Amino acid sequence: QVQLAESGGGLVQPGGSLRLSCAASGGIFSIYAMGWYRQAPGKQRELVARISSGSSTNYADSVKGRFTISRDNTKNTVYLQMDSLKPEDTAVYYCNGDVDTGIAPGRYWGQGTQVTVAS
């Protein structure tokens, strides 16, 4: 069974940095696009950044120039480097991956990791 596990969240001051990681495991044949989403209290989940299997990237306008998504295909892991963090970046961050198990492709989600930006 495919599982995605995020790590790296926490409390950081405005202007600080955090690096999130998300490792996929379990019955993986290949992974296509991977991405990071976030959900703040009282708001809908929104796309933060996505990266294709060929490492093409796209970002939400609100994080362009501050966040960088990358992946290590040898480790089935996607990263999100977050710099110049702002209080409005506070949210639960979720990773997802479009995974082919060799039986059927599907989109899988991690359990989420809390990021809090506050002084």
Side-chain angles (χ1 to χ4, degrees):
Q1 183 176 356
V2 176
Q3 293 185 325
L4 276 67
E6 299 104 336
S7 61
L11 173 64
V12 65
Q13 292 186 342
S17 297
L18 282 175
R19 189 190 194 211
L20 305 183
S21 300
C22 173
S25 61
I28 296 169
F29 180 71
S30 63
I31 304 178
Y32 305 115
M34 302 186 79
W36 289 95
Y37 290 71
R38 66 186 181 188
Q39 187 166 19
K43 295 187 176 181
Q44 291 187 332
R45 189 174 297 188
E46 63 176 3
L47 170 70
V48 176
R50 279 185 68 76
I51 184 167
S52 72
S53 57
S55 296
S56 296
T57 59
N58 65 286
Y59 296 90
D61 288 343
S62 59
V63 307
K64 282 181 181 177
R66 300 188 297 121
F67 291 11
T68 303
I69 189 170
S70 61
R71 63 190 290 170
D72 185 338
N73 293 330
T74 65
K75 298 180 180 179
N76 290 333
T77 299
V78 63
Y79 305 96
L80 186 68
Q81 177 67 42
M82 304 186 294
D83 299 318
S84 302
L85 282 160
K86 304 176 181 180
E88 52 263 43
D89 294 318
T90 296
V92 177
Y93 283 70
Y94 299 89
C95 72
N96 74 7
D98 295 333
V99 179
D100 186 352
T101 62
I103 299 174
R107 177 165 290 183
Y108 296 84
W109 292 85
Q111 80 286 353
T113 185
Q114 177 70 46
V115 171
T116 302
V117 185
S119 54

